[in-house]
Amino acid sequence: TAIMKITGLIILACGLVGAQSAQAWIGQCVKDNKDRVLAGGFIDFGGANTPERCIAECKAMPKSHNMPYTSVGFKYAGVQDGGQCFCANGFPENIRATQSECNRPCKTGKRMCGGAWRMNLYSTGL
């Protein structure tokens, strides 16, 4: 029983670490590439993009029929190049960029919406 208790604590601790890191994305600047860091979905909002709108759309976006667990919603949203919104459930490691590289303002409001091949990354809460 001691091993079972220890194993349970390890699993619980790993779950907490994952939950904390999932909540840590609040607009940090990351590097994109031609293969796309967030490759689950894309919307070009043009002149009406904001982080809040992108997050809401990614939470509600239908996923591919190949997804086994849920048919709607992505865990991450990213705004890029002023008007673009990308969605996905995961992304590669080592994608951080300096915050100053995300230098394009959103077309609406005073917030930043990424840059050229740079995006502000957000957790959607799913």
Side-chain angles (χ1 to χ4, degrees):
T1 22
I3 292 173
M4 290 175 63
K5 288 180 184 176
I6 291 171
T7 303
L9 289 174
I10 291 169
I11 291 169
L12 177 60
C14 289
L16 289 174
V17 169
Q20 290 170 345
S21 64
Q23 297 302 315
W25 294 98
I26 55 171
Q28 293 91 329
C29 189
V30 300
K31 301 172 191 173
D32 200 7
N33 60 57
K34 64 180 177 69
D35 296 323
R36 297 299 181 192
V37 168
L38 299 182
F42 169 76
I43 306 164
D44 189 345
F45 286 126
N49 197 21
T50 64
E52 294 79 15
R53 184 172 184 196
C54 182
I55 291 166
E57 291 294 329
C58 287
K59 282 176 84 166
M61 184 180 289
K63 290 189 277 187
S64 163
H65 67 279
N66 295 327
M67 298 288 180
Y69 300 109
T70 180
S71 62
V72 177
F74 289 99
K75 294 179 183 178
Y76 302 101
V79 291
Q80 183 171 324
D81 205 24
Q84 299 173 343
C85 171
F86 293 90
C87 313
N89 278 324
F91 48 86
E93 294 182 22
N94 303 317
I95 58 171
R96 290 277 183 123
T98 62
Q99 204 63 28
S100 63
E101 293 178 65
C102 285
N103 53 14
R104 297 249 168 96
C106 300
K107 307 276 188 205
T108 58
K110 297 179 181 178
R111 301 199 46 204
M112 289 298 160
C113 279
W117 294 102
R118 299 292 183 264
M119 73 172 62
N120 293 100
L121 182 61
Y122 296 88
S123 299
T124 65
L126 293 181

